[in-house]
Amino acid sequence: GQNIDQPTEMTATEGAIVQINCTYQTSGFNGLFWYQQHAGEAPTFLSYNVLDGLEEKGRFSSFLSRSKGYSYLLLKELQMKDSASYLCAVRVWGYNNNDMRFGAGTRLTVKP
Amino acid sequence: NAGVTQTPKFRVLKTGQSMTLLCAQDMNHEYMYWYRQDPGMGLRLIHYSVGEGTTAKGEVPDGYNVSRLKKQNFLLGLESAAPSQTSVYFCASIEDRASYEQYFGPGTRLTVT
């Protein structure tokens, strides 16, 4: 089966740094994704990792360790608008297959 | 360039009724997906398509059917709606197998009473 786990809720202070962890157990791993979703809106793409290491994009960075089945999303210089749910997702590929599995999401609240 | 659009945005059905949700994309993307999102459960893949005329089952396909007769459209059908199908439905697309950025539609909020 496919298991993707991430914390349900986190709280952080404006201007601080927060790390959201994601662990997964899948077969046919072919990439890990992070999405941001504000309440009542569609998810929007944040980052993609397929090789081990850190990918940096502005205030957001994402890390992957395939051997540990582990990823994290790092948000720096938190802003109030970063309050949202953050979804970890794994792409599983087989022949003619492009399946996507999502975690339940981490609801981040940024406080002044 | 409208991206990914979904029709309708909201719908209320009675148990046993049928309906079709339409997803359209104008980006010439090969891959299209239908997800449902329920509180505390994240997004779950219902069906997907890797090209015109193809469909495949995802994680939770039961009770749904899909068709991809035209490349730009992906239809999700509920033949006999049940209260368990009350959810928010999202459509998404990716350009091709080598791509990684998935574009989502705005969602359809469906209530089955």
Side-chain angles (χ1 to χ4, degrees):
Chain A
Q2 323 278 1
N3 262 356
I4 302 172
D5 294 311
Q6 50 183 130
T8 304
E9 292 190 29
M10 298 183 71
T11 303
T13 305
E14 191 177 14
I17 299 173
V18 70
Q19 177 174 312
I20 303 173
N21 296 325
C22 172
T23 58
Y24 64 90
Q25 291 177 305
T26 64
S27 56
F29 173 87
N30 205 290
L32 188 136
F33 302 74
W34 285 96
Y35 288 83
Q36 181 189 61
Q37 186 177 27
H38 285 99
E41 298 182 9
T44 54
F45 171 80
L46 287 179
S47 69
Y48 168 70
N49 296 70
V50 67
L51 299 176
D52 291 352
L54 188 68
E55 294 283 341
E56 297 186 81
K57 191 189 282 188
R59 294 189 299 114
F60 291 32
S61 303
S62 57
F63 171 83
L64 175 67
S65 168
R66 289 171 296 170
S67 63
K68 295 181 179 178
Y70 168 70
S71 173
Y72 67 72
L73 179 69
L74 194 70
L75 292 77
K76 304 175 186 175
E77 301 169 15
L78 280 172
Q79 302 175 8
M80 298 299 290
K81 67 178 182 180
D82 296 330
S83 291
S85 287
Y86 291 85
L87 313 178
C88 173
V90 173
R91 182 162 63 184
V92 177
W93 268 3
Y95 176 72
N96 209 28
N97 174 307
N98 196 348
D99 202 347
M100 289 283 284
R101 298 296 171 107
F102 282 78
T106 298
R107 182 181 301 175
L108 173 67
T109 302
V110 180
K111 296 185 174 180
Chain B
N1 192 334
V4 181
T5 58
Q6 292 182 231
T7 309
K9 288 186 169 53
F10 302 94
R11 185 72 185 269
V12 178
L13 286 179
K14 293 185 178 179
T15 298
Q17 287 185 318
S18 64
M19 78 163 294
T20 300
L21 282 66
L22 171 63
C23 175
Q25 51 92 6
D26 61 0
M27 298 174 284
N28 202 36
H29 284 180
E30 290 292 333
Y31 288 53
M32 297 185 74
Y33 306 80
W34 274 109
Y35 295 93
R36 59 178 291 174
Q37 187 172 35
D38 303 295
M41 299 194 71
L43 286 157
R44 291 184 292 168
L45 183 64
I46 304 170
H47 287 279
Y48 63 99
S49 168
V50 300
E52 182 178 317
T54 75
T55 62
K57 294 180 180 180
E59 185 182 359
V60 288
D62 294 341
Y64 305 94
N65 57 73
V66 287
S67 64
R68 184 104 182 264
L69 298 179
K70 293 183 179 181
K71 186 177 184 179
Q72 63 268 33
N73 296 337
F74 194 29
L75 278 63
L76 178 71
L78 286 74
E79 289 187 350
S80 180
S84 61
Q85 294 178 304
T86 294
S87 188
V88 179
Y89 291 84
F90 286 103
C91 175
S93 69
I94 289 181
E95 184 174 358
D96 55 33
R97 187 180 172 90
S99 303
Y100 53 83
E101 184 162 356
Q102 198 171 52
Y103 295 82
F104 281 84
T108 295
R109 186 172 296 275
L110 175 66
T111 302
V112 183
T113 62

